[in-house]
Amino acid sequence: MNPAPDSATQWALAARDGDPVAQAALVRETQSDVWRLCASLADARVADDLTQETYLRAFKALARFEARSTVRTWLLGIARRVCVDHIRVMIRQRRADNAFEEPAYQPDPAAGVSGEDLLRRLPADRRSAFVLTQVLGLSYAEAADIESVPIGTIRSRVARARADLVEAVETALTS
């Protein structure tokens, strides 16, 4: 027997049936987590746009939401894909922009030690697992569902991310 859906999932089920109050409540209840994931995976400067894109995609797909997981997990999975798409576009755009330019100065990677800088240095898979579990507080199972990988993979990515972060801080402090 499945437990009763959380309030956000209940709002999603009502929103799926076209209730505009439920749609607004769903966004209100989940927006901060979606924004924080987008800011962590992509960039805080574009997190508003990526959050909006997440909800556009989610509301188009809401009729297919079956509540097999919480709506939070479902939305964060969509947000992750939105961020991946954004990063792919940015990489293509940078390659095109840089095709005719001289290489730019690359700052020392150990120069900044803010949390955001440290997270940006992590490989994308480790950063995503770390942000989902340690910043947003999702369980390893929820993060595994969002990332479409086994729980053990999430555990190892988080452990490696922690080790990478400790090493980066130690390097920055001794430089």
Side-chain angles (χ1 to χ4, degrees):
M1 181 174 164
N2 287 339
D6 61 82
S7 62
T9 301
Q10 290 174 348
W11 286 122
L13 294 172
R16 182 179 65 182
D17 298 331
D19 180 351
V21 172
Q23 292 171 352
L26 172 63
V27 171
R28 256 191 323 277
E29 193 161 329
T30 58
Q31 186 174 16
S32 64
D33 286 342
V34 171
W35 188 92
R36 289 187 337 191
L37 181 65
C38 292
S40 296
L41 296 182
D43 189 325
R45 294 172 292 191
V46 296
D48 290 339
D49 292 338
L50 297 176
T51 299
Q52 183 175 4
E53 177 63 24
T54 297
Y55 284 104
L56 288 172
R57 289 185 190 185
F59 280 111
K60 285 180 185 176
L62 197 54
R64 295 185 306 274
F65 176 64
E66 297 175 0
R68 284 185 272 152
S69 63
T70 67
V71 75
R72 181 179 184 215
T73 301
W74 182 73
L75 277 170
L76 292 175
I78 293 170
R80 181 184 163 279
R81 288 186 293 281
V82 166
C83 291
V84 167
D85 292 347
H86 170 75
I87 291 167
R88 283 186 187 134
V89 168
M90 296 308 298
I91 289 171
R92 278 190 227 120
Q93 186 176 347
R94 268 192 218 126
R95 284 183 185 152
D97 291 347
N98 292 335
F100 300 105
E101 293 180 12
E102 291 184 34
Y105 165 74
Q106 295 294 319
D108 178 10
V113 290
S114 75
E116 187 175 321
D117 290 337
L118 292 173
L119 283 175
R120 293 244 177 276
R121 294 179 196 173
L122 291 173
D125 59 343
R126 292 179 190 174
R127 181 174 61 231
S128 180
F130 186 85
V131 168
L132 288 169
T133 59
Q134 307 306 301
V135 177
L136 296 178
L138 269 65
S139 69
Y140 286 99
E142 290 171 317
D145 188 29
I146 290 167
E147 294 285 321
S148 299
V149 297
I151 292 175
T153 301
I154 293 296
R155 290 185 192 282
S156 67
R157 287 177 181 176
V158 171
R160 288 184 185 125
R162 285 182 181 142
D164 291 348
L165 291 169
V166 167
E167 182 180 328
V169 168
E170 288 172 350
T171 301
L173 293 176
T174 58
S175 296

